Amino acid sequence: MEDKKTEGQKLQERLSYNSINIWNKISGDERKKLDDFCNGYKLFLDRAKTEREYVAEARKEAEKYGFVSFDELVKKDEKLSPGTKVYKIIRNKAMILSVIGKRPIEEGVNIIGGHIDAPRIDLKQNPLYEDSEMGLMKTHYYGGIKKYQWVAIPLALHGVVIKADGTVVNICIGEDDNDPVFTISDLLPHLAKDQMDKKMSEGITGEGLNLLFGSEPYNDEKASNKVKLNILNILNQKYGIVEEDFYTAELEIVPAFKARDIGIDRSMIGAYGQDDRVCSYPAMKAIFELKDIERTAVCLLTDKEEIGSMGNTGAESRLFEDFLAALCAIGNDKYNDIVLRKCLNNSMMLSADVNPAFDPNYESVYDKRNASYFGKGIVIEKYTGARGKAGGSDANPEFIAKVRKIFNENSIAWHVAELGKVDQGGGGTIAQYIANLGAEVLDCGVSILSMHAPYEVTSKADVYTFYNGCKVFYEKMQ
Ligand code: MN
Ligand code: MN
């Protein structure tokens, strides 16, 4: 056929950047693979709503793929051979997976790191009380939530109670269809004049987020606080716990909804906790399936990102450095600190976290030209931070170019974005903590609507593309 393109059109094709919509490129077999992957993701979301559940589920899956406990291998001090798959669990709330490559460890590793905690509402240490013959639980929210989104919805209680003798009791109430659920009450509109006149940030207060837990009194005229007593009795019969056990518990309230398809075309996923499971799950699945790789691959799954990555399960701690040191040292009698330093400085990382998808309902807070969109694939963010990039991590363009090259060569769709308008707000990820150790780090991830809400939305095309991108990064990044 005769080429009817004008000079200008040809020039445009050669010089201008054209973004794509992945859906236009997916058909047949590929669509089936996409759906299968997303169905697995949805099931995982339902089973792993907290960091502890994530670690427990991930461990089960990892073992199916032949991963073994790194701590066990360290005890034997065996030299690891290419293809060995290991996992390390840090205090049941963070996890590192690794597949050993053929290249020497001091040449660096390829890391994809995300977080497995999510915004939620925690029970206070002394939670249970009775007021007006209702049993309630005091709470303290975790991470950046809009409090008004968490009232008048079904909630589930997850976590652990450590009894005086050290016994661990796992709690999960509200996920089985036969379970009861809980809720935080909201004010009826008829009496909400004063509330509705308040600023949104003040309409619901932190101290007002009290979980409705029961209302039936214990049947004994002489006992006091009978609703509370009845609740304690039920908990004691079911879990063998007493009130003081709450003081040594970690109990988290999360939405009781299940992950569902969104849209008449089923092109999206709605679920709680997709920040950052939508990145950490694909990164984990990608490392599960690796074989015959050049550089050692590491998947870093951290806790406490939503409150600043502090503590001994967060990315700001030395958990990653400690793991890498042990990886450099195992079966190597010539180990010294410089091996670890070389490894860190030669390492490359994708810091995998979500980016707010452009939302036509809230156009004014985005720079349309530097926003992420559903269906356009992996979001690359050169830098994070707020108001003048403060507190952010800023990737080196030499490194971004390497990522760009392998994504383009392997048909991985990607686009660039930052977190909203310059002076509107901002945020950060775990990138800076690993960059501080000397590695090259680039923020990238998946576009998300309603970030930090009880029900977050992602595009299936993006979830699947991110998974493919993770595989490419692990396999091809040199
Ligand atoms: Mn996140
Ligand atoms: Mn977040």
Side-chain angles (χ1 to χ4, degrees):
M1 222 171 75
E2 201 186 334
D3 187 3
K4 289 198 179 115
K5 281 180 187 151
T6 64
E7 280 306 308
Q9 279 174 316
K10 284 187 216 157
L11 202 58
Q12 212 155 29
E13 234 165 62
R14 192 158 62 85
L15 301 183
S16 303
Y17 170 78
N18 292 307
S19 78
I20 61 141
N21 189 312
I22 305 162
W23 290 113
N24 296 331
K25 293 191 151 197
I26 290 178
S27 56
D29 257 17
E30 203 57 15
R31 176 69 202 240
K32 167 99 177 56
K33 281 191 209 161
L34 178 152
D35 284 326
D36 287 348
F37 184 81
C38 290
N39 286 337
Y41 171 54
K42 282 186 291 176
L43 288 174
F44 187 84
L45 285 169
D46 293 341
R47 293 198 306 261
K49 289 190 177 179
T50 67
E51 56 287 345
R52 284 175 189 270
E53 288 168 353
Y54 191 115
V55 167
E57 288 296 323
R59 179 193 183 154
K60 273 190 250 166
E61 287 221 22
E63 286 175 346
K64 278 189 219 155
Y65 282 92
F67 282 72
V68 295
S69 161
F70 184 56
D71 293 338
E72 292 300 315
L73 295 185
V74 168
K75 273 185 215 155
K76 295 184 210 151
D77 195 33
E78 272 174 34
K79 194 170 170 56
L80 302 183
S81 47
T84 304
K85 300 168 167 187
V86 298
Y87 66 81
K88 178 170 177 67
I89 290 171
I90 299 107
R91 295 173 204 280
N92 300 318
K93 296 196 280 191
M95 188 170 184
I96 303 173
L97 297 144
S98 182
V99 178
I100 308 305
K102 292 179 219 156
R103 309 296 312 157
I105 191 87
E106 55 264 41
E107 290 184 17
V109 299
N110 291 349
I111 314 151
I112 304 179
H115 63 94
I116 56 174
D117 62 323
R120 58 174 191 257
I121 299 176
D122 287 341
L123 288 194
K124 284 191 184 181
Q125 287 320 107
N126 181 20
L128 182 61
Y129 68 103
E130 176 171 342
D131 193 335
S132 321
E133 296 186 63
M134 284 187 186
L136 296 141
M137 294 279 196
K138 295 297 298 177
T139 69
H140 194 142
Y141 60 93
Y142 172 96
I145 64 165
K146 289 163 97 177
K147 294 185 278 280
Y148 70 83
Q149 295 176 334
W150 293 73
V151 296
I153 59 168
L155 297 165
L157 185 67
H158 294 230
V160 290
V161 178
I162 317 298
K163 297 209 283 186
D165 65 357
T167 320
V168 179
V169 182
N170 285 298
I171 308 258
C172 180
I173 311 168
E175 296 298 337
D176 190 284
D177 286 343
N178 295 313
D179 280 354
V181 294
F182 311 99
T183 194
I184 296 166
S185 59
D186 195 6
L187 193 54
L188 63 166
H190 317 64
L191 294 177
K193 188 193 167 292
D194 291 349
Q195 184 196 40
M196 299 301 273
D197 286 344
K198 286 181 185 165
K199 292 201 296 187
M200 268 169 112
S201 58
E202 290 160 5
I204 306 282
T205 63
E207 286 297 342
L209 292 176
N210 300 314
L211 189 73
L212 187 57
F213 210 74
S215 67
E216 183 180 337
Y218 187 79
N219 192 3
D220 179 339
E221 279 198 2
K222 291 199 175 141
S224 58
N225 277 328
K226 284 179 268 197
V227 173
K228 180 178 171 182
L229 183 62
N230 195 44
I231 289 169
L232 284 171
N233 191 36
I234 292 168
L235 290 173
N236 184 259
Q237 283 173 356
K238 195 155 183 217
Y239 302 104
I241 58 176
V242 297
E243 190 171 15
E244 196 180 280
D245 292 329
F246 280 124
Y247 305 165
T248 52
E250 210 162 69
L251 291 165
E252 308 175 2
I253 301 161
V254 296
F257 333 127
K258 289 200 171 13
R260 299 284 292 265
D261 286 347
I262 297 245
I264 193 73
D265 53 9
R266 295 180 171 263
S267 61
M268 297 166 280
I269 296 167
Y272 164 71
Q274 295 202 72
D275 172 8
D276 184 30
R277 281 157 182 69
V278 74
C279 297
S280 52
Y281 177 83
M284 177 180 82
K285 289 297 270 189
I287 202 167
F288 282 168
E289 290 157 5
L290 289 184
K291 35 180 135 12
D292 210 25
I293 45 168
E294 290 296 320
R295 284 162 65 88
T296 292
V298 176
C299 179
L300 175 63
L301 304 167
T302 66
D303 178 31
K304 295 289 181 285
E305 194 275 344
E306 295 295 355
I307 57 169
S309 291
M310 273 80 85
N312 60 14
T313 56
E316 204 185 339
S317 75
R318 302 185 80 161
L319 66 86
F320 175 66
E321 210 181 337
D322 287 349
F323 172 78
L324 220 51
L327 207 58
C328 292
I330 190 167
N332 174 5
D333 20 329
K334 281 189 235 107
Y335 175 80
N336 62 49
D337 194 53
I338 206 68
V339 177
L340 170 66
R341 302 292 139 205
K342 273 186 191 163
C343 174
L344 281 167
N345 281 282
N346 291 326
S347 287
M348 293 181 273
M349 174 179 178
L350 297 180
S351 169
D353 212 334
V354 292
N355 180 273
F358 179 80
D359 186 342
N361 283 338
Y362 300 98
E363 240 183 85
S364 66
V365 301
Y366 297 87
D367 166 12
K368 265 188 151 170
R369 292 170 188 82
N370 287 280
S372 72
Y373 294 84
F374 274 9
K376 295 196 183 300
I378 297 177
V379 189
I380 286 184
E381 279 174 273
K382 182 180 185 297
Y383 46 82
T384 54
R387 296 173 188 87
K389 303 186 178 180
S393 185
D394 197 343
N396 300 311
E398 291 87 345
F399 178 53
I400 308 176
K402 283 181 152 193
V403 177
R404 170 188 173 191
K405 184 164 183 285
I406 58 164
F407 281 176
N408 284 348
E409 283 172 357
N410 293 279
S411 307
I412 302 296
W414 59 278
H415 61 311
V416 295
E418 59 179 87
L419 205 167
K421 273 189 178 165
V422 174
D423 283 331
Q424 191 65 39
T429 68
I430 64 167
Q432 55 184 305
Y433 307 113
I434 311 303
N436 285 347
L437 299 174
E440 291 281 15
V441 185
L442 173 61
D443 273 293
C444 75
V446 177
S447 197
I448 193 166
L449 277 179
S450 304
M451 189 195 295
H452 285 201
Y455 209 57
E456 301 173 311
V457 184
T458 54
S459 156
K460 288 183 182 177
D462 297 335
V463 178
Y464 184 60
T465 302
F466 191 69
Y467 157 69
N468 286 326
C470 289
K471 276 199 288 194
V472 165
F473 181 80
Y474 280 138
E475 284 166 358
K476 315 270 177 177
M477 183 49 86
Q478 299 289 334

